[in-house]
Amino acid sequence: MMKFCYLDESGTGDEPIAVMLGVIVDSYRMRRTKNEWEKLLLGLSDKAKKPMQELHTRDFYRGNGIWRGVPGKERAEIIGEIFSWIKDRGHKIVYSVVDKDLFSDNFKNEELSSDINSLWQFMGMHICLQLQKFHQNEKKNKGNTVLVFDEEVREEARFLSAVKSPPEWTDSFYKKGKKQERLDQIVDVPYFCDSRDVSLVQLADFLCYFVRLYVEMSEGKTAEGYDGEKEKIASWVEPILALLISKSHIYPKIKKCPCSTMYRSYAPDCVL
């Protein structure tokens, strides 16, 4: 069965942690999830009293822009309801989490860095490897996974090239077989879209934003904006983390695998 992984990233500005997160949806269940998410967005438009094509999670959470007139308690209740709905849908999640200070200080010295030209590509390749490792062992899996990203003009060409011709050093991450094609579980033409037109990328944005805040606060890299913020975000995020694919697929411990060692070395302690 064909699968789709809808992806977005958070923290590629001045934030201490960067996260790329993907929601895996199979073709059979995709339409229901898409329709229900779009109904949620219509309900939010009513709350904001303005038509809304896209949920900008940062503005919604902080009460900025069109959300300035919606009380914080009401926004928090809506966020909790959205997280409960996501949990009930049960779609698997993948993510790549990076400590940006470690990355900026050390990545240029990595032997493997010549094949990766940015933090975004570092996370994007990590997502590909996780999906490959996870789906190649799935029973009765005859499909492949289509990657659907938010628009990234500066990254698209190089990343498309990397997915079509993955570096040899990625092989050990998923224990590529001798006769196996590289990344054979990934459709080799990732799709880059305008997130206003692809609602499930907005869902990935929603999750990604809160996961980043959760990691930053867990690592003591971001202070609370209000009393109890850390606990509130944890109450939303931690049930969702149960939907992650196994950590053995995200940050595997593989002897003599420079690829898995590299990805582990830039991950915050709380995700390992």
Side-chain angles (χ1 to χ4, degrees), residues 19 37 69 111 115 137 145 165 206 236 271:
V19 177
W37 176 252
E111 291 183 15
D115 296 310
N137 296 320
T145 303
S165 301
F206 179 86
W236 292 332
V271 304

Side-chain angles (χ1 to χ4, degrees), residues 115-126:
D115 296 310
I116 295 177
N117 298 281
S118 69
L119 172 62
W120 191 96
Q121 290 178 39
F122 178 84
M123 294 190 293
M125 180 56 72
H126 188 201

Side-chain angles (χ1 to χ4, degrees), residues 1-6 23-33 89 91-92 138 144 200:
M1 182 180 294
M2 184 72 74
K3 297 177 176 64
F4 296 82
C5 185
Y6 294 90
V23 181
I24 306 169
V25 183
D26 61 51
S27 56
Y28 179 74
R29 296 197 297 156
M30 178 176 64
R31 186 171 297 278
R32 179 182 170 187
T33 297
R89 292 302 296 139
H91 298 299
K92 286 292 186 181
E138 191 174 282
N144 297 104
L200 293 185

